Amino acid sequence: MRAYRIAVASAMTLLSASQVYAQSSSAKGTVTVGTASAARGVRAYGEIAVPAGSDAAMSIQVAVMHGALPGPTVAFISGAHGTEYASVVALTRLIERINPQSLAGTVIVVPLLNVASFEQMTVHTNPVDKKGMNATYPGNAKGTQTERALQLMTEQVVSVADVIVDLHGGDIDEDLRPYSYWTRTGNAAQDSATRALLMAFGLDHVIVRDLDITNAATTRSLSGYALSKGKTAIVAEAGRSGMVLQDDVDLLVKGSLRVLGAMHMTSDKANSMSRATWLSAAQRAAADKPGMFFATVQRDSKVKAGQALGFTTDYVGRRTGIVTAPVDGLVGFIRGVPSMWSGATLASVLPILKDVPVWVKP
Ligand SMILES: [Zn+2]
């Protein structure tokens, strides 16, 4: 069911009164996600209990703010990569910033999806089954832990939300500059709605990528899956190298609050950006073998194709190579630790767009 409608005056219209999020599931008296049941005007805490299967059970904690007034449902999710701490901490702090007594609509917050990654400090994947927790939507109730968890996330959270906000931060191995993603489907109304929320979120660098939602193999991420179901979904990323810096946390908390303001769920003024630096999808410099990596440029540097980004050594300090930029662009992130393995991303370089191109089916 398409839970809201959007009147689009122009694909380039910023969020305005032309965008109408109608009442959705939060027209209900009580909203229940996992064991969290929130009556109108109430904040409830609970868990989504993922039962044991071929591997261990797990529990995903959730907060639900069910507004006193009707409105749309927004889900904020982070910690698919459980060591992207700035984003996880940001969502724990967002919860107390939302007052259900004055909220129009419902907000579901899941700060830490990949609990085992967090507890064991394992980057990128769930150490229980070695699968990516942003890579196998809509999940599978008969699968391994990641798949069982994502099946319940799909059923309990994604399916009831009109808008999905997926937060990330540079992982322990990523010294990252903040940015968001504008993932386009070619549906003008959907792309306009997504863009409007990105501009409200307020990260001033935006990566443009195009998705073919008719190809299920390319919609296995949270945002891709949500977009394929007709929802509005944005991804925003701030944080780096395992640190929880106040500036990064603030970017994510304030951006999330601005999304709610832009959707008229709170009285916060939207203050959307009028412009952004648009970037095309990252080109990655990857390691061809294990060893040590040392960056010689910083995140956010403008680089030219072929320019040195860092160098590699073996485990007795002998130089084994120079890592160069694959294209002209901005260093979105660069590896912040020496550890590398064959195929590890050492740097991501984001070509800077003069103009935002029209959507092209990938
Ligand atoms: Zn991430």
PDB file of all heavy atoms in Angstrom, residues 210-246:
ATOM      1  N   ASP A 210      22.026   5.777  -9.179  1.00  0.00           N
ATOM      2  CA  ASP A 210      20.777   5.351  -9.815  1.00  0.00           C
ATOM      3  C   ASP A 210      20.567   3.856  -9.617  1.00  0.00           C
ATOM      4  O   ASP A 210      21.505   3.071  -9.683  1.00  0.00           O
ATOM      5  CB  ASP A 210      20.804   5.704 -11.304  1.00  0.00           C
ATOM      6  CG  ASP A 210      20.751   7.211 -11.514  1.00  0.00           C
ATOM      7  OD1 ASP A 210      20.268   7.912 -10.601  1.00  0.00           O
ATOM      8  OD2 ASP A 210      21.199   7.685 -12.566  1.00  0.00           O
ATOM      9  N   LEU A 211      19.309   3.524  -9.382  1.00  0.00           N
ATOM     10  CA  LEU A 211      18.951   2.155  -9.027  1.00  0.00           C
ATOM     11  C   LEU A 211      17.902   1.653 -10.015  1.00  0.00           C
ATOM     12  O   LEU A 211      17.027   2.405 -10.433  1.00  0.00           O
ATOM     13  CB  LEU A 211      18.349   2.192  -7.607  1.00  0.00           C
ATOM     14  CG  LEU A 211      18.062   0.891  -6.898  1.00  0.00           C
ATOM     15  CD1 LEU A 211      19.364   0.153  -6.615  1.00  0.00           C
ATOM     16  CD2 LEU A 211      17.334   1.186  -5.586  1.00  0.00           C
ATOM     17  N   ASP A 212      18.008   0.376 -10.359  1.00  0.00           N
ATOM     18  CA  ASP A 212      16.970  -0.272 -11.166  1.00  0.00           C
ATOM     19  C   ASP A 212      16.143  -1.134 -10.219  1.00  0.00           C
ATOM     20  O   ASP A 212      16.550  -2.234  -9.861  1.00  0.00           O
ATOM     21  CB  ASP A 212      17.623  -1.118 -12.261  1.00  0.00           C
ATOM     22  CG  ASP A 212      16.584  -1.901 -13.065  1.00  0.00           C
ATOM     23  OD1 ASP A 212      15.372  -1.639 -12.887  1.00  0.00           O
ATOM     24  OD2 ASP A 212      16.992  -2.769 -13.851  1.00  0.00           O
ATOM     25  N   ILE A 213      14.976  -0.597  -9.822  1.00  0.00           N
ATOM     26  CA  ILE A 213      14.208  -1.327  -8.797  1.00  0.00           C
ATOM     27  C   ILE A 213      13.517  -2.564  -9.384  1.00  0.00           C
ATOM     28  O   ILE A 213      12.947  -3.351  -8.640  1.00  0.00           O
ATOM     29  CB  ILE A 213      13.167  -0.424  -8.080  1.00  0.00           C
ATOM     30  CG1 ILE A 213      12.216   0.204  -9.085  1.00  0.00           C
ATOM     31  CG2 ILE A 213      13.847   0.604  -7.219  1.00  0.00           C
ATOM     32  CD1 ILE A 213      11.027   0.867  -8.415  1.00  0.00           C
ATOM     33  N   THR A 214      13.594  -2.741 -10.704  1.00  0.00           N
ATOM     34  CA  THR A 214      13.031  -3.972 -11.277  1.00  0.00           C
ATOM     35  C   THR A 214      14.032  -5.127 -11.178  1.00  0.00           C
ATOM     36  O   THR A 214      13.686  -6.267 -11.448  1.00  0.00           O
ATOM     37  CB  THR A 214      12.634  -3.767 -12.759  1.00  0.00           C
ATOM     38  OG1 THR A 214      13.831  -3.512 -13.525  1.00  0.00           O
ATOM     39  CG2 THR A 214      11.670  -2.609 -12.912  1.00  0.00           C
ATOM     40  N   ASN A 215      15.256  -4.819 -10.780  1.00  0.00           N
ATOM     41  CA  ASN A 215      16.287  -5.852 -10.623  1.00  0.00           C
ATOM     42  C   ASN A 215      16.477  -6.131  -9.128  1.00  0.00           C
ATOM     43  O   ASN A 215      17.159  -5.389  -8.434  1.00  0.00           O
ATOM     44  CB  ASN A 215      17.592  -5.371 -11.270  1.00  0.00           C
ATOM     45  CG  ASN A 215      18.716  -6.384 -11.109  1.00  0.00           C
ATOM     46  OD1 ASN A 215      18.541  -7.434 -10.487  1.00  0.00           O
ATOM     47  ND2 ASN A 215      19.865  -6.060 -11.665  1.00  0.00           N
ATOM     48  N   ALA A 216      15.842  -7.204  -8.656  1.00  0.00           N
ATOM     49  CA  ALA A 216      15.839  -7.480  -7.209  1.00  0.00           C
ATOM     50  C   ALA A 216      17.257  -7.647  -6.660  1.00  0.00           C
ATOM     51  O   ALA A 216      17.513  -7.360  -5.494  1.00  0.00           O
ATOM     52  CB  ALA A 216      15.009  -8.721  -6.915  1.00  0.00           C
ATOM     53  N   ALA A 217      18.169  -8.088  -7.507  1.00  0.00           N
ATOM     54  CA  ALA A 217      19.545  -8.311  -7.036  1.00  0.00           C
ATOM     55  C   ALA A 217      20.210  -7.002  -6.620  1.00  0.00           C
ATOM     56  O   ALA A 217      21.168  -7.014  -5.851  1.00  0.00           O
ATOM     57  CB  ALA A 217      20.362  -8.993  -8.125  1.00  0.00           C
ATOM     58  N   THR A 218      19.696  -5.881  -7.107  1.00  0.00           N
ATOM     59  CA  THR A 218      20.318  -4.594  -6.781  1.00  0.00           C
ATOM     60  C   THR A 218      19.549  -3.834  -5.699  1.00  0.00           C
ATOM     61  O   THR A 218      19.836  -2.677  -5.420  1.00  0.00           O
ATOM     62  CB  THR A 218      20.451  -3.705  -8.031  1.00  0.00           C
ATOM     63  OG1 THR A 218      19.143  -3.389  -8.519  1.00  0.00           O
ATOM     64  CG2 THR A 218      21.265  -4.389  -9.112  1.00  0.00           C
ATOM     65  N   THR A 219      18.541  -4.481  -5.122  1.00  0.00           N
ATOM     66  CA  THR A 219      17.752  -3.794  -4.073  1.00  0.00           C
ATOM     67  C   THR A 219      17.798  -4.588  -2.773  1.00  0.00           C
ATOM     68  O   THR A 219      16.793  -4.751  -2.096  1.00  0.00           O
ATOM     69  CB  THR A 219      16.289  -3.582  -4.515  1.00  0.00           C
ATOM     70  OG1 THR A 219      15.690  -4.857  -4.753  1.00  0.00           O
ATOM     71  CG2 THR A 219      16.199  -2.733  -5.754  1.00  0.00           C
ATOM     72  N   ARG A 220      18.976  -5.074  -2.425  1.00  0.00           N
ATOM     73  CA  ARG A 220      19.110  -5.874  -1.206  1.00  0.00           C
ATOM     74  C   ARG A 220      19.532  -5.028  -0.004  1.00  0.00           C
ATOM     75  O   ARG A 220      19.554  -5.512   1.115  1.00  0.00           O
ATOM     76  CB  ARG A 220      20.113  -7.017  -1.411  1.00  0.00           C
ATOM     77  CG  ARG A 220      19.843  -7.934  -2.610  1.00  0.00           C
ATOM     78  CD  ARG A 220      18.516  -8.673  -2.547  1.00  0.00           C
ATOM     79  NE  ARG A 220      18.305  -9.493  -1.362  1.00  0.00           N
ATOM     80  CZ  ARG A 220      18.734 -10.749  -1.227  1.00  0.00           C
ATOM     81  NH1 ARG A 220      19.451 -11.314  -2.174  1.00  0.00           N
ATOM     82  NH2 ARG A 220      18.455 -11.427  -0.130  1.00  0.00           N
ATOM     83  N   SER A 221      19.920  -3.764  -0.233  1.00  0.00           N
ATOM     84  CA  SER A 221      20.232  -2.890   0.905  1.00  0.00           C
ATOM     85  C   SER A 221      18.915  -2.390   1.510  1.00  0.00           C
ATOM     86  O   SER A 221      17.852  -2.477   0.871  1.00  0.00           O
ATOM     87  CB  SER A 221      21.073  -1.701   0.448  1.00  0.00           C
ATOM     88  OG  SER A 221      20.289  -0.831  -0.353  1.00  0.00           O
ATOM     89  N   LEU A 222      18.988  -1.860   2.722  1.00  0.00           N
ATOM     90  CA  LEU A 222      17.786  -1.313   3.356  1.00  0.00           C
ATOM     91  C   LEU A 222      17.145  -0.239   2.488  1.00  0.00           C
ATOM     92  O   LEU A 222      15.940  -0.265   2.228  1.00  0.00           O
ATOM     93  CB  LEU A 222      18.156  -0.745   4.731  1.00  0.00           C
ATOM     94  CG  LEU A 222      17.082   0.039   5.466  1.00  0.00           C
ATOM     95  CD1 LEU A 222      15.838  -0.810   5.698  1.00  0.00           C
ATOM     96  CD2 LEU A 222      17.625   0.574   6.792  1.00  0.00           C
ATOM     97  N   SER A 223      17.956   0.725   2.039  1.00  0.00           N
ATOM     98  CA  SER A 223      17.379   1.826   1.251  1.00  0.00           C
ATOM     99  C   SER A 223      16.887   1.322  -0.106  1.00  0.00           C
ATOM    100  O   SER A 223      15.811   1.716  -0.572  1.00  0.00           O
ATOM    101  CB  SER A 223      18.399   2.952   1.085  1.00  0.00           C
ATOM    102  OG  SER A 223      19.568   2.473   0.455  1.00  0.00           O
ATOM    103  N   GLY A 224      17.657   0.456  -0.736  1.00  0.00           N
ATOM    104  CA  GLY A 224      17.250  -0.060  -2.047  1.00  0.00           C
ATOM    105  C   GLY A 224      15.956  -0.844  -1.952  1.00  0.00           C
ATOM    106  O   GLY A 224      15.051  -0.685  -2.777  1.00  0.00           O
ATOM    107  N   TYR A 225      15.852  -1.663  -0.907  1.00  0.00           N
ATOM    108  CA  TYR A 225      14.637  -2.455  -0.742  1.00  0.00           C
ATOM    109  C   TYR A 225      13.441  -1.531  -0.469  1.00  0.00           C
ATOM    110  O   TYR A 225      12.372  -1.687  -1.060  1.00  0.00           O
ATOM    111  CB  TYR A 225      14.814  -3.462   0.399  1.00  0.00           C
ATOM    112  CG  TYR A 225      13.563  -4.251   0.664  1.00  0.00           C
ATOM    113  CD1 TYR A 225      13.151  -5.253  -0.215  1.00  0.00           C
ATOM    114  CD2 TYR A 225      12.761  -3.958   1.765  1.00  0.00           C
ATOM    115  CE1 TYR A 225      11.975  -5.951   0.003  1.00  0.00           C
ATOM    116  CE2 TYR A 225      11.582  -4.651   1.991  1.00  0.00           C
ATOM    117  CZ  TYR A 225      11.196  -5.648   1.112  1.00  0.00           C
ATOM    118  OH  TYR A 225      10.017  -6.326   1.323  1.00  0.00           O
ATOM    119  N   ALA A 226      13.650  -0.567   0.425  1.00  0.00           N
ATOM    120  CA  ALA A 226      12.549   0.348   0.761  1.00  0.00           C
ATOM    121  C   ALA A 226      12.104   1.135  -0.474  1.00  0.00           C
ATOM    122  O   ALA A 226      10.905   1.317  -0.710  1.00  0.00           O
ATOM    123  CB  ALA A 226      12.986   1.292   1.882  1.00  0.00           C
ATOM    124  N   LEU A 227      13.070   1.600  -1.261  1.00  0.00           N
ATOM    125  CA  LEU A 227      12.720   2.333  -2.485  1.00  0.00           C
ATOM    126  C   LEU A 227      11.946   1.426  -3.447  1.00  0.00           C
ATOM    127  O   LEU A 227      10.990   1.861  -4.094  1.00  0.00           O
ATOM    128  CB  LEU A 227      13.977   2.881  -3.162  1.00  0.00           C
ATOM    129  CG  LEU A 227      14.648   4.061  -2.434  1.00  0.00           C
ATOM    130  CD1 LEU A 227      16.064   4.276  -2.963  1.00  0.00           C
ATOM    131  CD2 LEU A 227      13.820   5.336  -2.578  1.00  0.00           C
ATOM    132  N   SER A 228      12.347   0.161  -3.522  1.00  0.00           N
ATOM    133  CA  SER A 228      11.660  -0.760  -4.437  1.00  0.00           C
ATOM    134  C   SER A 228      10.223  -1.007  -3.999  1.00  0.00           C
ATOM    135  O   SER A 228       9.397  -1.443  -4.798  1.00  0.00           O
ATOM    136  CB  SER A 228      12.424  -2.088  -4.547  1.00  0.00           C
ATOM    137  OG  SER A 228      12.185  -2.917  -3.415  1.00  0.00           O
ATOM    138  N   LYS A 229       9.925  -0.714  -2.742  1.00  0.00           N
ATOM    139  CA  LYS A 229       8.553  -0.848  -2.235  1.00  0.00           C
ATOM    140  C   LYS A 229       7.810   0.484  -2.274  1.00  0.00           C
ATOM    141  O   LYS A 229       6.750   0.634  -1.649  1.00  0.00           O
ATOM    142  CB  LYS A 229       8.579  -1.394  -0.793  1.00  0.00           C
ATOM    143  CG  LYS A 229       9.110  -2.813  -0.709  1.00  0.00           C
ATOM    144  CD  LYS A 229       8.183  -3.786  -1.429  1.00  0.00           C
ATOM    145  CE  LYS A 229       8.771  -5.184  -1.530  1.00  0.00           C
ATOM    146  NZ  LYS A 229       7.950  -6.059  -2.411  1.00  0.00           N
ATOM    147  N   GLY A 230       8.375   1.466  -2.961  1.00  0.00           N
ATOM    148  CA  GLY A 230       7.683   2.736  -3.165  1.00  0.00           C
ATOM    149  C   GLY A 230       7.835   3.729  -2.032  1.00  0.00           C
ATOM    150  O   GLY A 230       7.196   4.782  -2.016  1.00  0.00           O
ATOM    151  N   LYS A 231       8.687   3.408  -1.058  1.00  0.00           N
ATOM    152  CA  LYS A 231       8.858   4.303   0.072  1.00  0.00           C
ATOM    153  C   LYS A 231       9.898   5.383  -0.237  1.00  0.00           C
ATOM    154  O   LYS A 231      10.627   5.282  -1.222  1.00  0.00           O
ATOM    155  CB  LYS A 231       9.296   3.495   1.298  1.00  0.00           C
ATOM    156  CG  LYS A 231       8.244   2.462   1.703  1.00  0.00           C
ATOM    157  CD  LYS A 231       8.732   1.515   2.761  1.00  0.00           C
ATOM    158  CE  LYS A 231       7.731   0.401   3.016  1.00  0.00           C
ATOM    159  NZ  LYS A 231       6.425   0.829   3.523  1.00  0.00           N
ATOM    160  N   THR A 232       9.950   6.389   0.624  1.00  0.00           N
ATOM    161  CA  THR A 232      11.009   7.383   0.549  1.00  0.00           C
ATOM    162  C   THR A 232      12.122   6.899   1.471  1.00  0.00           C
ATOM    163  O   THR A 232      11.861   6.576   2.635  1.00  0.00           O
ATOM    164  CB  THR A 232      10.493   8.754   1.032  1.00  0.00           C
ATOM    165  OG1 THR A 232       9.357   9.109   0.235  1.00  0.00           O
ATOM    166  CG2 THR A 232      11.560   9.824   0.893  1.00  0.00           C
ATOM    167  N   ALA A 233      13.337   6.816   0.943  1.00  0.00           N
ATOM    168  CA  ALA A 233      14.438   6.290   1.760  1.00  0.00           C
ATOM    169  C   ALA A 233      15.694   7.102   1.503  1.00  0.00           C
ATOM    170  O   ALA A 233      16.052   7.352   0.348  1.00  0.00           O
ATOM    171  CB  ALA A 233      14.692   4.823   1.433  1.00  0.00           C
ATOM    172  N   ILE A 234      16.323   7.534   2.594  1.00  0.00           N
ATOM    173  CA  ILE A 234      17.590   8.247   2.456  1.00  0.00           C
ATOM    174  C   ILE A 234      18.656   7.586   3.322  1.00  0.00           C
ATOM    175  O   ILE A 234      18.351   6.908   4.312  1.00  0.00           O
ATOM    176  CB  ILE A 234      17.469   9.750   2.802  1.00  0.00           C
ATOM    177  CG1 ILE A 234      17.134   9.966   4.276  1.00  0.00           C
ATOM    178  CG2 ILE A 234      16.437  10.420   1.915  1.00  0.00           C
ATOM    179  CD1 ILE A 234      17.218  11.440   4.710  1.00  0.00           C
ATOM    180  N   VAL A 235      19.901   7.794   2.906  1.00  0.00           N
ATOM    181  CA  VAL A 235      21.057   7.291   3.649  1.00  0.00           C
ATOM    182  C   VAL A 235      21.954   8.485   3.948  1.00  0.00           C
ATOM    183  O   VAL A 235      22.259   9.274   3.045  1.00  0.00           O
ATOM    184  CB  VAL A 235      21.847   6.260   2.819  1.00  0.00           C
ATOM    185  CG1 VAL A 235      23.078   5.773   3.590  1.00  0.00           C
ATOM    186  CG2 VAL A 235      20.965   5.077   2.434  1.00  0.00           C
ATOM    187  N   ALA A 236      22.336   8.628   5.205  1.00  0.00           N
ATOM    188  CA  ALA A 236      23.256   9.705   5.568  1.00  0.00           C
ATOM    189  C   ALA A 236      24.362   9.107   6.424  1.00  0.00           C
ATOM    190  O   ALA A 236      24.131   8.188   7.210  1.00  0.00           O
ATOM    191  CB  ALA A 236      22.524  10.803   6.335  1.00  0.00           C
ATOM    192  N   GLU A 237      25.540   9.671   6.262  1.00  0.00           N
ATOM    193  CA  GLU A 237      26.723   9.042   6.853  1.00  0.00           C
ATOM    194  C   GLU A 237      27.627  10.122   7.438  1.00  0.00           C
ATOM    195  O   GLU A 237      28.005  11.059   6.733  1.00  0.00           O
ATOM    196  CB  GLU A 237      27.428   8.261   5.742  1.00  0.00           C
ATOM    197  CG  GLU A 237      28.622   7.491   6.165  1.00  0.00           C
ATOM    198  CD  GLU A 237      28.864   6.239   5.311  1.00  0.00           C
ATOM    199  OE1 GLU A 237      28.420   6.171   4.152  1.00  0.00           O
ATOM    200  OE2 GLU A 237      29.514   5.332   5.837  1.00  0.00           O
ATOM    201  N   ALA A 238      27.966   9.991   8.727  1.00  0.00           N
ATOM    202  CA  ALA A 238      28.945  10.884   9.360  1.00  0.00           C
ATOM    203  C   ALA A 238      29.611  10.108  10.483  1.00  0.00           C
ATOM    204  O   ALA A 238      28.951   9.372  11.212  1.00  0.00           O
ATOM    205  CB  ALA A 238      28.284  12.144   9.910  1.00  0.00           C
ATOM    206  N   GLY A 239      30.900  10.284  10.622  1.00  0.00           N
ATOM    207  CA  GLY A 239      31.657   9.546  11.629  1.00  0.00           C
ATOM    208  C   GLY A 239      32.907   9.007  10.968  1.00  0.00           C
ATOM    209  O   GLY A 239      32.985   8.933   9.748  1.00  0.00           O
ATOM    210  N   ARG A 240      33.887   8.659  11.798  1.00  0.00           N
ATOM    211  CA  ARG A 240      35.122   8.171  11.200  1.00  0.00           C
ATOM    212  C   ARG A 240      36.003   7.454  12.197  1.00  0.00           C
ATOM    213  O   ARG A 240      36.080   7.822  13.373  1.00  0.00           O
ATOM    214  CB  ARG A 240      35.910   9.321  10.573  1.00  0.00           C
ATOM    215  CG  ARG A 240      36.199  10.479  11.508  1.00  0.00           C
ATOM    216  CD  ARG A 240      36.723  11.647  10.680  1.00  0.00           C
ATOM    217  NE  ARG A 240      36.805  12.857  11.432  1.00  0.00           N
ATOM    218  CZ  ARG A 240      37.952  13.401  11.865  1.00  0.00           C
ATOM    219  NH1 ARG A 240      39.089  12.801  11.628  1.00  0.00           N
ATOM    220  NH2 ARG A 240      37.934  14.526  12.537  1.00  0.00           N
ATOM    221  N   SER A 241      36.595   6.391  11.690  1.00  0.00           N
ATOM    222  CA  SER A 241      37.709   5.735  12.388  1.00  0.00           C
ATOM    223  C   SER A 241      37.369   5.302  13.804  1.00  0.00           C
ATOM    224  O   SER A 241      38.229   5.298  14.676  1.00  0.00           O
ATOM    225  CB  SER A 241      38.916   6.688  12.415  1.00  0.00           C
ATOM    226  OG  SER A 241      39.207   7.164  11.117  1.00  0.00           O
ATOM    227  N   GLY A 242      36.117   4.956  14.042  1.00  0.00           N
ATOM    228  CA  GLY A 242      35.739   4.451  15.359  1.00  0.00           C
ATOM    229  C   GLY A 242      35.509   5.511  16.412  1.00  0.00           C
ATOM    230  O   GLY A 242      35.177   5.188  17.552  1.00  0.00           O
ATOM    231  N   MET A 243      35.675   6.781  16.050  1.00  0.00           N
ATOM    232  CA  MET A 243      35.526   7.848  17.051  1.00  0.00           C
ATOM    233  C   MET A 243      34.070   8.325  17.114  1.00  0.00           C
ATOM    234  O   MET A 243      33.353   8.307  16.123  1.00  0.00           O
ATOM    235  CB  MET A 243      36.427   9.031  16.683  1.00  0.00           C
ATOM    236  CG  MET A 243      37.903   8.691  16.784  1.00  0.00           C
ATOM    237  SD  MET A 243      38.966  10.108  16.471  1.00  0.00           S
ATOM    238  CE  MET A 243      38.770  10.320  14.699  1.00  0.00           C
ATOM    239  N   VAL A 244      33.683   8.744  18.306  1.00  0.00           N
ATOM    240  CA  VAL A 244      32.359   9.350  18.462  1.00  0.00           C
ATOM    241  C   VAL A 244      32.596  10.829  18.716  1.00  0.00           C
ATOM    242  O   VAL A 244      32.763  11.261  19.859  1.00  0.00           O
ATOM    243  CB  VAL A 244      31.582   8.696  19.622  1.00  0.00           C
ATOM    244  CG1 VAL A 244      30.197   9.317  19.749  1.00  0.00           C
ATOM    245  CG2 VAL A 244      31.458   7.191  19.385  1.00  0.00           C
ATOM    246  N   LEU A 245      32.667  11.599  17.641  1.00  0.00           N
ATOM    247  CA  LEU A 245      32.949  13.030  17.744  1.00  0.00           C
ATOM    248  C   LEU A 245      31.632  13.786  17.791  1.00  0.00           C
ATOM    249  O   LEU A 245      30.701  13.489  17.034  1.00  0.00           O
ATOM    250  CB  LEU A 245      33.793  13.491  16.556  1.00  0.00           C
ATOM    251  CG  LEU A 245      35.160  12.792  16.435  1.00  0.00           C
ATOM    252  CD1 LEU A 245      35.867  13.206  15.158  1.00  0.00           C
ATOM    253  CD2 LEU A 245      36.020  13.110  17.661  1.00  0.00           C
ATOM    254  N   GLN A 246      31.582  14.778  18.676  1.00  0.00           N
ATOM    255  CA  GLN A 246      30.324  15.504  18.861  1.00  0.00           C
ATOM    256  C   GLN A 246      29.817  16.115  17.554  1.00  0.00           C
ATOM    257  O   GLN A 246      28.619  16.110  17.292  1.00  0.00           O
ATOM    258  CB  GLN A 246      30.522  16.601  19.922  1.00  0.00           C
ATOM    259  CG  GLN A 246      29.222  17.210  20.411  1.00  0.00           C
ATOM    260  CD  GLN A 246      28.337  16.184  21.127  1.00  0.00           C
ATOM    261  OE1 GLN A 246      28.814  15.383  21.918  1.00  0.00           O
ATOM    262  NE2 GLN A 246      27.049  16.202  20.820  1.00  0.00           N
TER     263      GLN A 246
END
